[in-house]
Amino acid sequence: MNALFASAALGLAAAWPASGLGWVLGKAADRLTGDPLTRVKAWNRAVALPPTVLALMVGVSALPQETTDPVYQVAMTTRAAATAGAVVHDLSTRALPAVNTGEMLGTVLILGALGGLAVAGARQIAGRAKLERIVRDARPVSQELALAVRAAARRLDTGRPEVKVSDVIDQPLLAGLTTPVILLPAELVERLDVHRLVPICAHELAHLKRGDNWRLLAEHLLGGLFWMVPPFAAIRARAAATREELSDALALDGASPADRHGYAEALIAVLRGRTAPALHPAFTGKGRKPTAMRLRAITHPQDPASFTRRALLGLASLLALALIAGGSIALAQQGENQRGSRTIISDNGSGQYVEIRSDMVRVSNAEIVKGRLKVPDGQVSTYHGHVQVRGRLKAPETTVLLNGDTPPAGFDPTTLPDGAIERLDVVNHSTGGKSRVTLNVFLKPDL
């Protein structure tokens, strides 16, 4: 299997644990604070984790090895990344014991993802074409409402889109990307006065200010790519829900309790009046969050999150990124298609992660036990031909020798140039009940 192909397939499979990690991050934000801005940031990061895994793995596999090796070495010098690499390797080895055995599964994953992306793209093109027709057929609002919305746009320091009324929509929405337009349902405009309509339009202006129209497009396409990963859909739904709450908060900044109550009543009216399928929900967040949570946020605004809680979430985000980076590197290495042998020596507890590649390996005094190769404790595995040592060599779990003797200070076989190692003897043994490994490096005579 092609290395790039295998890495893409494993990246799609890794979207499951990445989505789970993102869900934990977002739920932690929900529990720590009611501040919508902090929660939006956390859920947006959660949405970014699965595509980050896929992009890192494809990127690592697409670049030349001499380019990715320094990144790999730096990543493996941190315990978090090395531990993540060891854990992911163990899991991926159990799930896909050999790349060839997973070739059919990889093909299904990639074709399924590309098919989902194509369907999502087609739906976006068709939906936006239909939305453009709706915008063309819509009529302008009254001058009084248009002037009030412009004033709200100045207050929010954002663009001043045209506001129109449509007979074919059932909820307010922000239509368009390059030339956005606020569309209001005709029934809503007839029932509410200008004072009640302005906050609704301000909500759409808040979406415009934050670029949510572009973000929604990207998330729809990612949803098509990861349609086989239901946890990703759940994360997208929660991210969209928190964005609705944040837009409410921006639209109602400085509003009186009476105005907030009126806005909540308008929201309920929209929810009750929906009779047709929505194209691009923005105000109601169709199917994206509990309505009660949003109404509670409208009537009882939350204070900004404290510095301590924001710092905790920031630290959690960095930890998640470190785990994702380490896991992506390990999986990318798992997906490489190179001839010869490949051995992983890992210790989840200490963060040790050593990878050895060569054209061939010979195990001394091995025996077959119940149909499997068994290497007795203390026996030697000898690697020949294009030997490479990569990863993190952590003492005392790993002892390094040079031609059988103690190497000079600073000697690190993971930094040797390609082709420098003529032979590598690896001895696995136990000391005090703990697993230990000795690497005896033999360099080529001319080095």
Side-chain angles (χ1 to χ4, degrees):
M1 182 185 294
N2 177 268
L4 189 63
F5 183 93
S7 294
L10 287 171
L12 291 169
W16 280 82
S19 297
L21 185 61
W23 180 262
V24 171
L25 177 63
K27 293 300 286 185
D30 286 346
R31 293 184 65 86
L32 282 174
T33 179
D35 176 21
L37 179 59
T38 302
R39 291 166 53 226
V40 162
K41 291 180 179 179
W43 282 108
N44 284 346
R45 291 166 188 162
V47 171
L49 286 180
T52 298
V53 169
L54 180 60
L56 281 174
M57 292 189 59
V58 172
V60 169
S61 297
L63 292 174
Q65 184 174 322
E66 56 269 19
T67 302
T68 60
D69 267 350
V71 179
Y72 179 81
Q73 298 294 348
V74 170
M76 288 300 108
T77 59
T78 63
R79 178 167 180 171
T83 302
V87 172
V88 172
H89 167 72
D90 291 342
L91 293 176
S92 62
T93 300
R94 294 172 186 175
L96 296 174
V99 175
N100 288 337
T101 61
E103 186 168 356
M104 180 174 295
L105 175 60
T107 302
V108 171
L109 287 174
I110 292 178
L111 292 180
L114 293 178
L117 179 61
V119 170
R123 292 181 63 182
Q124 283 294 305
I125 293 174
R128 292 186 181 278
K130 183 176 181 180
L131 197 57
E132 288 179 1
R133 293 194 296 271
I134 293 175
V135 171
R136 286 197 304 267
D137 296 338
R139 57 188 182 275
V141 297
S142 66
Q143 185 176 10
E144 181 184 7
L145 179 56
L147 292 175
V149 172
R150 289 184 183 180
R154 287 194 297 270
R155 177 176 65 84
L156 290 172
D157 190 24
T158 187
R160 303 175 186 178
E162 187 178 2
V163 185
K164 290 188 173 184
V165 181
S166 174
D167 297 317
V168 297
I169 63 173
D170 58 6
Q171 61 183 342
L173 56 89
L174 181 66
L177 296 173
T178 57
T179 310
V181 175
I182 296 176
L183 289 177
L184 299 174
E187 189 272 337
L188 191 68
V189 173
E190 293 172 358
R191 188 169 67 250
L192 301 179
D193 57 24
V194 172
H195 183 70
R196 292 286 184 89
L197 290 172
V198 170
I200 296 175
C201 294
H203 176 102
E204 306 306 327
L205 291 173
H207 280 302
L208 177 63
K209 179 181 178 65
R210 292 183 49 79
D212 287 341
N213 49 342
W214 288 96
R215 183 178 287 108
L216 191 61
L217 170 62
E219 288 187 4
H220 275 305
L221 296 178
L222 287 174
L225 185 66
F226 293 108
W227 70 272
M228 292 180 290
V229 187
F232 183 69
I235 292 176
R236 285 182 54 214
R238 289 299 302 136
T242 55
R243 287 199 294 267
E244 297 301 318
E245 293 183 33
L246 178 57
S247 294
D248 288 337
L250 294 175
L252 296 172
D253 185 30
S256 65
D259 288 339
R260 289 181 174 275
H261 184 73
Y263 184 84
E265 289 181 342
L267 172 59
I268 295 173
V270 169
L271 291 172
R272 288 178 175 174
R274 276 173 34 200
T275 57
L279 291 172
H280 295 277
F283 175 60
T284 60
K286 178 182 177 183
R288 297 183 184 275
K289 56 173 186 39
T291 302
M293 181 181 294
R294 183 175 178 188
L295 291 173
R296 186 165 53 250
I298 291 171
T299 55
H300 298 83
Q302 299 292 318
D303 294 330
S306 65
F307 173 79
T308 301
R309 296 187 178 189
R310 285 186 282 113
L312 284 174
L313 288 174
L315 183 62
S317 299
L318 290 176
L319 178 60
L321 182 61
L323 291 173
I324 287 298
S328 298
I329 291 171
L331 277 176
Q333 303 305 316
Q334 177 75 14
E336 287 184 359
N337 183 30
Q338 295 187 6
R339 291 181 304 167
S341 68
R342 177 174 182 264
T343 300
I344 295 291
I345 303 170
S346 64
D347 185 338
N348 299 350
S350 67
Q352 180 192 36
Y353 186 82
V354 183
E355 177 186 8
I356 303 172
R357 290 182 182 271
S358 68
D359 290 337
M360 57 183 176
V361 59
R362 177 175 57 84
V363 181
S364 302
N365 298 327
E367 57 181 332
I368 302 296
V369 178
K370 295 182 178 180
R372 300 188 65 180
L373 181 68
K374 181 179 179 182
V375 182
D377 184 53
Q379 298 304 301
V380 180
S381 299
T382 302
Y383 295 82
H384 295 275
H386 199 71
V387 182
Q388 294 177 299
V389 181
R390 308 169 71 184
R392 187 187 192 204
L393 311 183
K394 187 178 184 300
E397 286 80 5
T398 304
T399 300
V400 178
L401 302 177
L402 178 60
N403 299 325
D405 296 322
T406 301
F411 177 76
D412 185 354
T414 65
T415 62
L416 293 173
D418 189 23
I421 300 177
E422 181 180 41
R423 190 184 95 203
L424 176 69
D425 290 344
V426 179
V427 182
N428 291 282
H429 51 90
S430 297
T431 302
K434 295 184 178 180
S435 178
R436 298 287 189 259
V437 61
T438 298
L439 305 182
N440 189 10
V441 180
F442 294 87
L443 299 181
K444 291 186 176 179
D446 54 343
L447 294 176

